[in-house]
Amino acid sequence: MSGSAPIHVIGGGLAGSEAAWQLAERGHPVVLHEMRPRRGTDAHQTDGLAELVCSNSFRSDDANGNAVGLLHQEMRSLGSLIMRAGDAHQVPAGGALAVDRDDFSQSVTRALAAHPNVTLAREEVDGLPPAAWERVIVATGPLTSPALAAAIGALTGTQSLAFFDAIAPIVHRDSIDLGKAWFQSRYDKAGPGGTGADYINCPLDREQYDAFIQALIDGEKASFKEWEATTPYFDGCLPIEVMAERGPETLRHGPMKPVGLTNPHDPTVKACAIVQLRQDNALGTLYNMVGFQTKLRHAEQVRIFRTIPGLENAEFARLGGLHRNTYLDSPRLLDATLRLKAEPRLRFAGQITGCEGYVESAAIGLMAGRFAAAEAEGRTLPPLPQTTALGALIAHITGGHIAAEDQGAPRSFQPMNVNFGLFPPLAQAPRNETGRRLRGPEKAVLKKRAITDRARADLAGWIDATTPSPLAAE
Ligand SMILES: Cc1cc2nc3c(=O)[nH]c(=O)nc-3n(C[C@H](O)[C@H](O)[C@H](O)COP(=O)(O)OP(=O)(O)OC[C@H]3O[C@@H](n4cnc5c(N)ncnc54)[C@H](O)[C@@H]3O)c2cc1C
């Protein structure tokens, strides 16, 4: 394929490096455009490819009990350069995979620079890619340079490209106590596609509410970096602790207002405040805490939010946050193979698609590279089963998340780490050898094991179905 037109990858971070590697390994010429060191970002410190801008951890490496550990395993089985370099340069970190950041980045840089199919262009792409570039993967990350971000914003519509994420915590539906909480939409309004019972409601009495407000005010917060503090975000997404600081009644008149809802467990008692959780994915396994974006530290969020009646045992698929971040409204804009519907020669990868994290960004880069390679060869890759970690993540980004137009919010898609809530539920609850249904921690362990076993089997099937047989090649 050396005579064919090159595929252009913009951004040599976690996603772009992995995408370029997948293409090059399939025999496609690639031009990898990386603007550093000519132009820097507010977070990168070096000119190395795949630089880790903050922590040096790829998180849990447990492929049987953790969704990101499973993602590691799937990426290794698909020949990931990022995982190969991570494994080669790991440092002791218990059950996590942590790496020596400099050795890791240098090893990725060397591998790509030495690959005969890769041309490394140290330049900024400062507008939409030229029309002559037939196939492009945009992997410019959360700190995409302003000129390119402006061009993408003009193409997609400004509402579709965010510069800040305001993440409300997301809770696993099966960890919410419906003996205290209940399903109901405010005033039983059905709304588009709704039933009138679309929200989970958690009631607080006056004493619980006052204690909750005080805990928000006293809770330890994460600070903004200097360059984050200057990015405007306050319209419509104030952190809850900032609202609490404005006055004890503010939240009761905002996201925690108790009107239009009746507690079926005790209809005679009027709640002082109500926390609402809204379905977050099409599978109905995840619910987000409406209006609860926060800069509280993660451990504080868990401690404080578990004081809310019904959430005492809540398991969080992700915790809240506010960060500088450039990302698309992907469920609306991208097709199932990560192409921009409005301009399919442009494919997106990495954090700009609305995944979150080093590993997830590299994983989406891996699949973007494989989709682009197949397309250049005149083939279409069948979709990855949603039962795999890679498939679950892509399905969420390209359509699994459900929008919340009824909240008056123009968009509700927020960046997401891989987690078991993105996987379809098991057909059967796990049972022990005697056939008895399990409960508690034993059930949780076996459930994760069953989900990861199913993922491994389904990924193996997908690999078999997509690997050209040697006979067919003859
Ligand atoms: C400050 C900060 C801290 C983070 N900390 C963590 C963490 O601890 N753990 C974690 O898992 N995730 C973290 N993330 C989230 C995220 O997973 C990482 O940012 C990850 O690097 C994203 O991978 P990516 O490939 O999408 O983008 P990046 O790794 O940022 O790569 C994008 C690349 O594109 C280049 N580029 C940008 N614009 C252009 C252009 N116009 N032309 C050419 N090149 C361009 C950049 O120089 C960069 O090299 C953090 C994010 C930020 C912003």
Side-chain angles (χ1 to χ4, degrees):
M1 265 163 277
S2 53
S4 56
I7 299 174
H8 295 263
V9 178
I10 310 177
L14 276 298
S17 298
E18 185 66 62
W21 180 256
Q22 294 290 326
L23 285 160
E25 285 287 277
R26 273 156 195 77
H28 296 275
V30 185
V31 183
L32 177 56
H33 306 260
E34 170 51 56
M35 67 179 182
R36 289 177 291 118
R38 288 192 175 186
R39 186 186 174 107
T41 76
D42 284 315
H44 292 83
Q45 308 279 329
T46 74
D47 63 1
L49 301 180
E51 178 182 333
L52 305 179
V53 288
C54 187
S55 122
N56 66 333
S57 175
F58 287 3
R59 319 202 308 278
S60 171
D61 200 32
D62 174 4
N64 296 323
N66 189 290
V68 80
L70 176 67
L71 190 58
H72 292 171
Q73 188 181 56
E74 293 184 0
M75 292 169 71
R76 287 181 184 117
S77 69
L78 293 172
S80 160
L81 172 63
I82 293 299
M83 291 310 301
R84 191 183 84 182
D87 288 336
H89 298 288
Q90 63 177 285
V91 294
L97 173 60
V99 307
D100 177 306
R101 68 178 69 240
D102 293 327
D103 291 349
F104 165 76
S105 165
Q106 282 162 19
S107 128
V108 172
T109 309
R110 272 197 308 272
L112 285 164
H115 202 294
N117 293 333
V118 178
T119 305
L120 189 50
R122 295 283 187 171
E123 65 192 11
E124 179 189 4
V125 176
D126 61 1
L128 281 188
W133 296 6
E134 212 181 314
R135 285 194 181 82
V136 182
I137 296 177
V138 182
T140 44
L143 307 172
T144 296
S145 72
L148 181 58
I152 295 170
L155 183 65
T156 57
T158 41
Q159 285 291 335
S160 298
L161 187 69
F163 295 98
F164 230 102
D165 55 36
I167 297 168
I170 294 178
V171 181
H172 288 276
R173 148 87 178 75
D174 59 7
S175 68
I176 301 172
D177 181 357
L178 288 173
K180 292 183 182 162
W182 73 96
F183 276 95
Q184 186 186 8
S185 302
R186 213 179 285 286
Y187 300 111
D188 303 309
K189 264 201 205 145
T195 64
D198 301 319
Y199 290 78
I200 295 178
N201 303 282
C202 300
L204 289 88
D205 62 25
R206 171 52 76 176
E207 201 180 323
Q208 290 162 334
Y209 176 76
D210 288 343
F212 181 72
I213 296 299
Q214 199 54 48
L216 291 180
I217 293 170
D218 295 342
E220 208 187 327
K221 328 277 181 323
S223 56
F224 281 111
K225 297 199 171 57
E226 195 188 328
W227 45 274
E228 288 184 314
T230 55
T231 305
Y233 74 96
F234 273 111
D235 289 0
C237 59
L238 272 183
I240 46 165
E241 61 276 10
V242 174
M243 284 192 253
E245 277 161 10
R246 290 190 170 180
E249 298 298 295
T250 309
L251 277 165
R252 242 168 63 72
H253 292 98
M256 294 177 74
K257 61 177 175 281
V259 301
L261 298 162
T262 308
N263 184 347
H265 304 300
D266 191 351
T268 58
V269 176
K270 188 104 191 79
C272 171
I274 289 177
V275 175
Q276 285 205 301
L277 294 100
R278 180 176 56 227
Q279 187 174 333
D280 197 76
N281 62 344
L283 294 171
T285 50
L286 299 175
Y287 276 71
N288 71 66
M289 298 175 69
V290 179
F292 265 53
Q293 55 276 357
T294 173
K295 284 292 274 184
L296 284 167
R297 290 202 179 280
H298 282 179
E300 291 287 77
Q301 292 185 39
V302 174
R303 180 179 69 76
I304 297 170
F305 296 154
R306 282 189 180 156
T307 65
I308 296 169
L311 300 187
E312 292 88 346
N313 298 309
E315 292 296 334
F316 293 90
R318 73 158 303 153
L319 287 156
L322 281 142
H323 308 99
R324 170 83 171 81
N325 196 354
T326 310
Y327 68 100
L328 294 166
D329 192 6
S330 298
R332 218 168 44 75
L333 296 176
L334 302 186
D335 71 12
T337 71
L338 301 163
R339 291 181 310 179
L340 191 66
K341 289 176 194 162
E343 194 163 336
R345 77 185 173 109
L346 302 182
R347 188 170 251 117
F348 284 81
Q351 184 132 337
I352 198 167
T353 65
C355 66
E356 166 92 20
Y358 300 144
V359 182
E360 287 86 342
S361 297
I364 298 297
L366 186 154
M367 286 312 300
R370 288 198 167 220
F371 286 137
E375 191 181 84
E377 293 154 20
R379 297 186 297 121
T380 309
L381 279 186
L384 273 159
Q386 201 181 337
T387 48
T388 64
L390 276 161
L393 195 56
I394 292 192
H396 184 75
I397 292 168
T398 61
H401 168 83
I402 52 174
E405 316 291 349
D406 61 325
Q407 288 297 299
R411 52 177 288 172
S412 59
F413 178 59
Q414 295 289 344
M416 182 67 113
N417 287 121
V418 69
N419 67 78
F420 285 126
L422 303 182
F423 292 65
L426 293 165
Q428 249 197 341
R431 293 168 193 271
N432 69 7
E433 310 80 54
T434 63
R436 190 174 56 80
R437 284 182 74 149
L438 301 167
R439 304 200 176 281
E442 197 189 2
K443 177 181 170 191
V445 169
L446 281 188
K447 191 172 155 191
K448 287 174 185 169
R449 184 62 203 235
I451 290 175
T452 57
D453 283 345
R454 180 181 67 175
R456 279 181 281 274
D458 289 355
L459 185 66
W462 184 85
I463 291 173
D464 277 353
T466 54
T467 308
S469 82
L471 286 177
E474 277 170 15

Short mmCIF file of all heavy atoms in Angstrom, two decimals, residues 371-428:
data_model
loop_
_atom_site.label_atom_id
_atom_site.label_comp_id
_atom_site.label_asym_id
_atom_site.label_seq_id
_atom_site.Cartn_x
_atom_site.Cartn_y
_atom_site.Cartn_z
N PHE A 371 -10.54 1.45 11.85
CA PHE A 371 -11.66 1.81 10.96
C PHE A 371 -11.12 2.47 9.69
O PHE A 371 -11.56 2.17 8.58
CB PHE A 371 -12.62 2.79 11.65
CG PHE A 371 -13.49 2.17 12.73
CD1 PHE A 371 -13.70 2.84 13.94
CD2 PHE A 371 -14.12 0.95 12.55
CE1 PHE A 371 -14.50 2.29 14.94
CE2 PHE A 371 -14.93 0.39 13.54
CZ PHE A 371 -15.12 1.08 14.74
N ALA A 372 -10.17 3.39 9.86
CA ALA A 372 -9.63 4.12 8.70
C ALA A 372 -8.88 3.17 7.78
O ALA A 372 -8.98 3.26 6.54
CB ALA A 372 -8.72 5.26 9.16
N ALA A 373 -8.14 2.23 8.36
CA ALA A 373 -7.38 1.27 7.55
C ALA A 373 -8.35 0.42 6.72
O ALA A 373 -8.17 0.24 5.51
CB ALA A 373 -6.52 0.38 8.45
N ALA A 374 -9.39 -0.10 7.38
CA ALA A 374 -10.35 -0.95 6.67
C ALA A 374 -11.01 -0.16 5.53
O ALA A 374 -11.14 -0.66 4.40
CB ALA A 374 -11.41 -1.47 7.64
N GLU A 375 -11.37 1.08 5.82
CA GLU A 375 -12.03 1.91 4.81
C GLU A 375 -11.11 2.12 3.60
O GLU A 375 -11.55 2.01 2.45
CB GLU A 375 -12.36 3.25 5.46
CG GLU A 375 -13.26 4.14 4.65
CD GLU A 375 -13.47 5.45 5.42
OE1 GLU A 375 -12.60 6.34 5.30
OE2 GLU A 375 -14.49 5.55 6.11
N ALA A 376 -9.83 2.39 3.87
CA ALA A 376 -8.88 2.61 2.77
C ALA A 376 -8.68 1.34 1.94
O ALA A 376 -8.31 1.40 0.77
CB ALA A 376 -7.53 3.07 3.33
N GLU A 377 -8.95 0.19 2.57
CA GLU A 377 -8.83 -1.09 1.85
C GLU A 377 -10.15 -1.50 1.20
O GLU A 377 -10.27 -2.61 0.67
CB GLU A 377 -8.39 -2.19 2.84
CG GLU A 377 -6.97 -1.98 3.36
CD GLU A 377 -6.76 -2.64 4.74
OE1 GLU A 377 -7.54 -3.54 5.11
OE2 GLU A 377 -5.82 -2.21 5.44
N GLY A 378 -11.17 -0.64 1.30
CA GLY A 378 -12.47 -0.94 0.69
C GLY A 378 -13.28 -1.95 1.50
O GLY A 378 -14.19 -2.59 0.99
N ARG A 379 -12.93 -2.10 2.79
CA ARG A 379 -13.68 -3.03 3.65
C ARG A 379 -14.44 -2.23 4.71
O ARG A 379 -14.10 -1.10 5.00
CB ARG A 379 -12.72 -3.97 4.40
CG ARG A 379 -11.91 -4.89 3.52
CD ARG A 379 -11.10 -5.88 4.34
NE ARG A 379 -10.10 -5.23 5.18
CZ ARG A 379 -10.06 -5.34 6.50
NH1 ARG A 379 -10.97 -6.03 7.16
NH2 ARG A 379 -9.10 -4.75 7.20
N THR A 380 -15.45 -2.85 5.30
CA THR A 380 -16.13 -2.23 6.44
C THR A 380 -15.97 -3.16 7.63
O THR A 380 -16.30 -4.35 7.51
CB THR A 380 -17.64 -2.05 6.15
OG1 THR A 380 -17.78 -1.39 4.89
CG2 THR A 380 -18.32 -1.23 7.22
N LEU A 381 -15.43 -2.65 8.70
CA LEU A 381 -15.31 -3.50 9.89
C LEU A 381 -16.68 -3.66 10.53
O LEU A 381 -17.39 -2.67 10.72
CB LEU A 381 -14.38 -2.84 10.92
CG LEU A 381 -12.87 -2.98 10.74
CD1 LEU A 381 -12.16 -2.37 11.95
CD2 LEU A 381 -12.46 -4.43 10.58
N PRO A 382 -17.07 -4.88 10.89
CA PRO A 382 -18.33 -5.01 11.62
C PRO A 382 -18.20 -4.33 12.99
O PRO A 382 -17.09 -4.25 13.53
CB PRO A 382 -18.50 -6.53 11.79
CG PRO A 382 -17.16 -7.12 11.54
CD PRO A 382 -16.38 -6.16 10.70
N PRO A 383 -19.31 -3.80 13.54
CA PRO A 383 -19.19 -3.12 14.83
C PRO A 383 -18.68 -4.07 15.91
O PRO A 383 -18.97 -5.26 15.87
CB PRO A 383 -20.62 -2.67 15.15
CG PRO A 383 -21.49 -3.24 14.10
CD PRO A 383 -20.67 -3.87 13.02
N LEU A 384 -17.90 -3.52 16.82
CA LEU A 384 -17.45 -4.33 17.96
C LEU A 384 -18.64 -4.65 18.84
O LEU A 384 -19.48 -3.77 19.08
CB LEU A 384 -16.47 -3.51 18.79
CG LEU A 384 -15.02 -3.56 18.37
CD1 LEU A 384 -14.30 -2.35 18.92
CD2 LEU A 384 -14.38 -4.82 18.91
N PRO A 385 -18.73 -5.87 19.36
CA PRO A 385 -19.86 -6.16 20.27
C PRO A 385 -19.83 -5.19 21.46
O PRO A 385 -18.77 -4.90 22.00
CB PRO A 385 -19.58 -7.58 20.74
CG PRO A 385 -18.61 -8.16 19.76
CD PRO A 385 -17.84 -7.02 19.18
N GLN A 386 -21.02 -4.72 21.83
CA GLN A 386 -21.10 -3.77 22.96
C GLN A 386 -20.76 -4.46 24.28
O GLN A 386 -20.59 -3.81 25.31
CB GLN A 386 -22.50 -3.16 23.02
CG GLN A 386 -22.53 -1.84 23.78
CD GLN A 386 -23.91 -1.23 23.86
OE1 GLN A 386 -24.78 -1.52 23.03
NE2 GLN A 386 -24.13 -0.38 24.85
N THR A 387 -20.67 -5.76 24.25
CA THR A 387 -20.31 -6.52 25.45
C THR A 387 -18.80 -6.46 25.73
O THR A 387 -18.36 -6.95 26.76
CB THR A 387 -20.70 -7.99 25.25
OG1 THR A 387 -20.23 -8.40 23.96
CG2 THR A 387 -22.20 -8.18 25.33
N THR A 388 -18.01 -5.92 24.79
CA THR A 388 -16.58 -5.76 25.03
C THR A 388 -16.33 -4.35 25.57
O THR A 388 -17.16 -3.45 25.38
CB THR A 388 -15.78 -5.93 23.72
OG1 THR A 388 -16.16 -4.87 22.81
CG2 THR A 388 -16.05 -7.27 23.06
N ALA A 389 -15.17 -4.15 26.21
CA ALA A 389 -14.88 -2.81 26.77
C ALA A 389 -14.75 -1.79 25.65
O ALA A 389 -15.29 -0.68 25.73
CB ALA A 389 -13.61 -2.87 27.61
N LEU A 390 -14.04 -2.16 24.58
CA LEU A 390 -13.89 -1.24 23.45
C LEU A 390 -15.25 -0.93 22.82
O LEU A 390 -15.55 0.23 22.51
CB LEU A 390 -12.99 -1.89 22.39
CG LEU A 390 -11.49 -1.76 22.60
CD1 LEU A 390 -10.76 -2.81 21.77
CD2 LEU A 390 -11.02 -0.37 22.20
N GLY A 391 -16.06 -1.96 22.63
CA GLY A 391 -17.37 -1.78 22.01
C GLY A 391 -18.29 -0.94 22.89
O GLY A 391 -19.04 -0.10 22.40
N ALA A 392 -18.23 -1.18 24.21
CA ALA A 392 -19.10 -0.44 25.14
C ALA A 392 -18.75 1.05 25.11
O ALA A 392 -19.64 1.92 25.09
CB ALA A 392 -18.94 -0.99 26.55
N LEU A 393 -17.45 1.34 25.07
CA LEU A 393 -17.01 2.74 25.06
C LEU A 393 -17.42 3.43 23.76
O LEU A 393 -17.98 4.54 23.77
CB LEU A 393 -15.48 2.75 25.23
CG LEU A 393 -14.80 4.05 25.60
CD1 LEU A 393 -15.38 4.63 26.89
CD2 LEU A 393 -13.29 3.82 25.76
N ILE A 394 -17.19 2.77 22.63
CA ILE A 394 -17.55 3.38 21.34
C ILE A 394 -19.07 3.55 21.25
O ILE A 394 -19.56 4.58 20.79
CB ILE A 394 -17.03 2.53 20.17
CG1 ILE A 394 -15.50 2.59 20.16
CG2 ILE A 394 -17.60 3.00 18.83
CD1 ILE A 394 -14.85 2.06 18.92
N ALA A 395 -19.80 2.55 21.71
CA ALA A 395 -21.26 2.65 21.64
C ALA A 395 -21.75 3.83 22.47
O ALA A 395 -22.67 4.55 22.08
CB ALA A 395 -21.91 1.35 22.13
N HIS A 396 -21.12 4.06 23.63
CA HIS A 396 -21.55 5.19 24.46
C HIS A 396 -21.29 6.52 23.76
O HIS A 396 -22.16 7.39 23.69
CB HIS A 396 -20.82 5.16 25.80
CG HIS A 396 -21.30 6.23 26.74
ND1 HIS A 396 -22.49 6.15 27.41
CD2 HIS A 396 -20.75 7.42 27.08
CE1 HIS A 396 -22.67 7.24 28.13
NE2 HIS A 396 -21.62 8.03 27.95
N ILE A 397 -20.09 6.63 23.19
CA ILE A 397 -19.71 7.88 22.54
C ILE A 397 -20.56 8.16 21.30
O ILE A 397 -20.94 9.30 21.04
CB ILE A 397 -18.22 7.81 22.11
CG1 ILE A 397 -17.33 7.80 23.33
CG2 ILE A 397 -17.85 8.95 21.19
CD1 ILE A 397 -15.90 7.44 22.98
N THR A 398 -20.86 7.11 20.56
CA THR A 398 -21.52 7.35 19.27
C THR A 398 -23.03 7.16 19.33
O THR A 398 -23.68 7.10 18.30
CB THR A 398 -20.92 6.45 18.17
OG1 THR A 398 -21.13 5.08 18.55
CG2 THR A 398 -19.44 6.69 17.98
N GLY A 399 -23.60 7.07 20.53
CA GLY A 399 -25.06 6.98 20.56
C GLY A 399 -25.64 6.44 21.85
O GLY A 399 -26.82 6.64 22.12
N GLY A 400 -24.85 5.75 22.68
CA GLY A 400 -25.38 5.12 23.89
C GLY A 400 -25.84 6.12 24.93
O GLY A 400 -26.78 5.87 25.67
N HIS A 401 -25.14 7.27 24.98
CA HIS A 401 -25.56 8.30 25.91
C HIS A 401 -26.87 8.89 25.41
O HIS A 401 -27.05 9.09 24.21
CB HIS A 401 -24.51 9.42 25.99
CG HIS A 401 -25.02 10.62 26.71
ND1 HIS A 401 -25.00 10.72 28.07
CD2 HIS A 401 -25.61 11.74 26.25
CE1 HIS A 401 -25.54 11.87 28.42
NE2 HIS A 401 -25.92 12.51 27.34
N ILE A 402 -27.80 9.16 26.34
CA ILE A 402 -29.03 9.78 25.87
C ILE A 402 -29.08 11.23 26.31
O ILE A 402 -28.71 11.56 27.43
CB ILE A 402 -30.29 9.01 26.31
CG1 ILE A 402 -30.28 8.75 27.81
CG2 ILE A 402 -30.42 7.72 25.54
CD1 ILE A 402 -31.57 8.11 28.29
N ALA A 403 -29.52 12.09 25.40
CA ALA A 403 -29.50 13.53 25.64
C ALA A 403 -30.64 13.93 26.56
O ALA A 403 -31.61 13.21 26.72
CB ALA A 403 -29.61 14.27 24.32
N ALA A 404 -30.52 15.10 27.15
CA ALA A 404 -31.53 15.57 28.10
C ALA A 404 -32.02 16.94 27.69
O ALA A 404 -31.80 17.92 28.36
CB ALA A 404 -30.93 15.62 29.49
N GLU A 405 -32.67 16.97 26.54
CA GLU A 405 -33.14 18.26 26.01
C GLU A 405 -34.19 18.88 26.97
O GLU A 405 -34.32 20.09 27.03
CB GLU A 405 -33.79 18.10 24.63
CG GLU A 405 -33.02 17.19 23.67
CD GLU A 405 -31.71 17.77 23.20
OE1 GLU A 405 -31.49 18.95 23.45
OE2 GLU A 405 -30.90 17.03 22.61
N ASP A 406 -34.90 18.03 27.74
CA ASP A 406 -35.99 18.53 28.56
C ASP A 406 -35.51 19.36 29.74
O ASP A 406 -36.29 20.02 30.38
CB ASP A 406 -36.86 17.37 29.06
CG ASP A 406 -36.07 16.41 29.92
OD1 ASP A 406 -34.88 16.21 29.62
OD2 ASP A 406 -36.62 15.88 30.89
N GLN A 407 -34.23 19.31 30.06
CA GLN A 407 -33.72 20.08 31.19
C GLN A 407 -33.42 21.52 30.80
O GLN A 407 -32.86 22.27 31.59
CB GLN A 407 -32.43 19.44 31.72
CG GLN A 407 -32.67 18.14 32.43
CD GLN A 407 -33.52 18.33 33.67
OE1 GLN A 407 -33.16 19.04 34.58
NE2 GLN A 407 -34.68 17.70 33.68
N GLY A 408 -33.70 21.87 29.55
CA GLY A 408 -33.37 23.21 29.11
C GLY A 408 -31.90 23.31 28.75
O GLY A 408 -31.39 24.34 28.36
N ALA A 409 -31.17 22.19 28.91
CA ALA A 409 -29.74 22.20 28.58
C ALA A 409 -29.60 21.87 27.11
O ALA A 409 -30.25 20.94 26.63
CB ALA A 409 -29.02 21.14 29.41
N PRO A 410 -28.79 22.64 26.37
CA PRO A 410 -28.65 22.35 24.95
C PRO A 410 -27.98 21.01 24.71
O PRO A 410 -28.18 20.37 23.72
CB PRO A 410 -27.80 23.50 24.43
CG PRO A 410 -27.15 24.10 25.63
CD PRO A 410 -28.02 23.80 26.79
N ARG A 411 -27.13 20.56 25.64
CA ARG A 411 -26.46 19.29 25.47
C ARG A 411 -26.12 18.75 26.86
O ARG A 411 -25.92 19.50 27.80
CB ARG A 411 -25.20 19.43 24.64
CG ARG A 411 -24.26 20.51 25.13
CD ARG A 411 -23.01 20.55 24.33
NE ARG A 411 -22.19 19.39 24.65
CZ ARG A 411 -21.09 19.08 23.98
NH1 ARG A 411 -20.71 19.79 22.97
NH2 ARG A 411 -20.38 18.05 24.32
N SER A 412 -26.06 17.44 26.97
CA SER A 412 -25.78 16.89 28.29
C SER A 412 -24.65 15.86 28.24
O SER A 412 -24.31 15.29 29.26
CB SER A 412 -27.03 16.23 28.86
OG SER A 412 -27.46 15.21 27.98
N PHE A 413 -24.10 15.62 27.06
CA PHE A 413 -23.04 14.61 26.93
C PHE A 413 -21.78 15.11 27.63
O PHE A 413 -21.29 16.20 27.33
CB PHE A 413 -22.78 14.36 25.44
CG PHE A 413 -21.68 13.39 25.17
CD1 PHE A 413 -21.74 12.09 25.66
CD2 PHE A 413 -20.57 13.75 24.42
CE1 PHE A 413 -20.72 11.17 25.40
CE2 PHE A 413 -19.56 12.86 24.16
CZ PHE A 413 -19.63 11.56 24.65
N GLN A 414 -21.29 14.32 28.54
CA GLN A 414 -20.08 14.69 29.28
C GLN A 414 -19.06 13.56 29.19
O GLN A 414 -19.45 12.40 29.07
CB GLN A 414 -20.40 14.94 30.76
CG GLN A 414 -21.32 16.13 31.00
CD GLN A 414 -20.65 17.46 30.75
OE1 GLN A 414 -19.44 17.56 30.66
NE2 GLN A 414 -21.45 18.51 30.58
N PRO A 415 -17.76 13.89 29.24
CA PRO A 415 -16.74 12.86 29.08
C PRO A 415 -16.90 11.70 30.07
O PRO A 415 -17.30 11.89 31.21
CB PRO A 415 -15.44 13.62 29.35
CG PRO A 415 -15.76 15.01 28.94
CD PRO A 415 -17.18 15.22 29.37
N MET A 416 -16.53 10.50 29.60
CA MET A 416 -16.80 9.29 30.38
C MET A 416 -15.61 8.34 30.35
O MET A 416 -15.05 8.07 29.30
CB MET A 416 -18.03 8.62 29.75
CG MET A 416 -18.49 7.38 30.44
SD MET A 416 -19.12 7.76 32.08
CE MET A 416 -20.84 7.37 31.86
N ASN A 417 -15.25 7.82 31.52
CA ASN A 417 -14.30 6.71 31.61
C ASN A 417 -15.03 5.42 31.27
O ASN A 417 -16.25 5.33 31.40
CB ASN A 417 -13.79 6.56 33.05
CG ASN A 417 -12.82 7.65 33.46
OD1 ASN A 417 -13.07 8.36 34.41
ND2 ASN A 417 -11.71 7.76 32.77
N VAL A 418 -14.28 4.39 30.89
CA VAL A 418 -14.91 3.08 30.71
C VAL A 418 -15.34 2.57 32.09
O VAL A 418 -14.64 2.78 33.08
CB VAL A 418 -13.92 2.09 30.01
CG1 VAL A 418 -12.77 1.71 30.90
CG2 VAL A 418 -14.65 0.86 29.51
N ASN A 419 -16.51 1.94 32.16
CA ASN A 419 -16.98 1.36 33.44
C ASN A 419 -18.04 0.31 33.12
O ASN A 419 -18.60 0.30 32.02
CB ASN A 419 -17.53 2.46 34.36
CG ASN A 419 -18.78 3.08 33.80
OD1 ASN A 419 -19.86 2.52 33.88
ND2 ASN A 419 -18.65 4.26 33.18
N PHE A 420 -18.30 -0.56 34.08
CA PHE A 420 -19.21 -1.68 33.81
C PHE A 420 -20.65 -1.23 33.51
O PHE A 420 -21.42 -1.98 32.94
CB PHE A 420 -19.18 -2.69 34.95
CG PHE A 420 -17.93 -3.54 34.97
CD1 PHE A 420 -17.14 -3.62 36.09
CD2 PHE A 420 -17.55 -4.25 33.84
CE1 PHE A 420 -15.98 -4.39 36.10
CE2 PHE A 420 -16.40 -5.03 33.83
CZ PHE A 420 -15.61 -5.10 34.96
N GLY A 421 -21.00 -0.02 33.91
CA GLY A 421 -22.33 0.47 33.61
C GLY A 421 -22.57 0.68 32.12
O GLY A 421 -23.71 0.81 31.68
N LEU A 422 -21.51 0.71 31.32
CA LEU A 422 -21.68 0.88 29.86
C LEU A 422 -21.94 -0.44 29.16
O LEU A 422 -22.21 -0.47 27.96
CB LEU A 422 -20.41 1.52 29.26
CG LEU A 422 -19.96 2.87 29.82
CD1 LEU A 422 -18.74 3.37 29.07
CD2 LEU A 422 -21.07 3.89 29.73
N PHE A 423 -21.81 -1.55 29.90
CA PHE A 423 -21.97 -2.87 29.30
C PHE A 423 -23.43 -3.31 29.42
O PHE A 423 -24.07 -3.05 30.44
CB PHE A 423 -21.10 -3.91 30.03
CG PHE A 423 -19.62 -3.72 29.86
CD1 PHE A 423 -18.98 -2.59 30.36
CD2 PHE A 423 -18.85 -4.69 29.25
CE1 PHE A 423 -17.61 -2.42 30.22
CE2 PHE A 423 -17.49 -4.54 29.10
CZ PHE A 423 -16.86 -3.40 29.59
N PRO A 424 -23.95 -4.05 28.42
CA PRO A 424 -25.31 -4.58 28.58
C PRO A 424 -25.36 -5.52 29.79
O PRO A 424 -24.40 -6.25 30.03
CB PRO A 424 -25.54 -5.38 27.29
CG PRO A 424 -24.46 -4.97 26.35
CD PRO A 424 -23.32 -4.44 27.15
N PRO A 425 -26.47 -5.50 30.55
CA PRO A 425 -26.56 -6.39 31.71
C PRO A 425 -26.44 -7.85 31.29
O PRO A 425 -26.74 -8.20 30.14
CB PRO A 425 -27.95 -6.10 32.27
CG PRO A 425 -28.36 -4.79 31.69
CD PRO A 425 -27.65 -4.66 30.38
N LEU A 426 -26.05 -8.71 32.22
CA LEU A 426 -25.96 -10.15 31.94
C LEU A 426 -27.37 -10.70 31.74
O LEU A 426 -28.33 -10.22 32.36
CB LEU A 426 -25.32 -10.86 33.13
CG LEU A 426 -23.85 -10.54 33.38
CD1 LEU A 426 -23.44 -11.01 34.78
CD2 LEU A 426 -22.96 -11.18 32.32
N ALA A 427 -27.48 -11.71 30.87
CA ALA A 427 -28.80 -12.30 30.63
C ALA A 427 -29.32 -12.96 31.91
O ALA A 427 -30.52 -12.99 32.17
CB ALA A 427 -28.71 -13.32 29.50
N GLN A 428 -28.39 -13.47 32.73
CA GLN A 428 -28.79 -14.18 33.95
C GLN A 428 -27.95 -13.69 35.11
O GLN A 428 -26.72 -13.54 34.95
CB GLN A 428 -28.50 -15.66 33.78
CG GLN A 428 -29.73 -16.50 33.68
CD GLN A 428 -29.40 -17.95 33.92
OE1 GLN A 428 -28.25 -18.37 33.81
NE2 GLN A 428 -30.42 -18.71 34.25
#
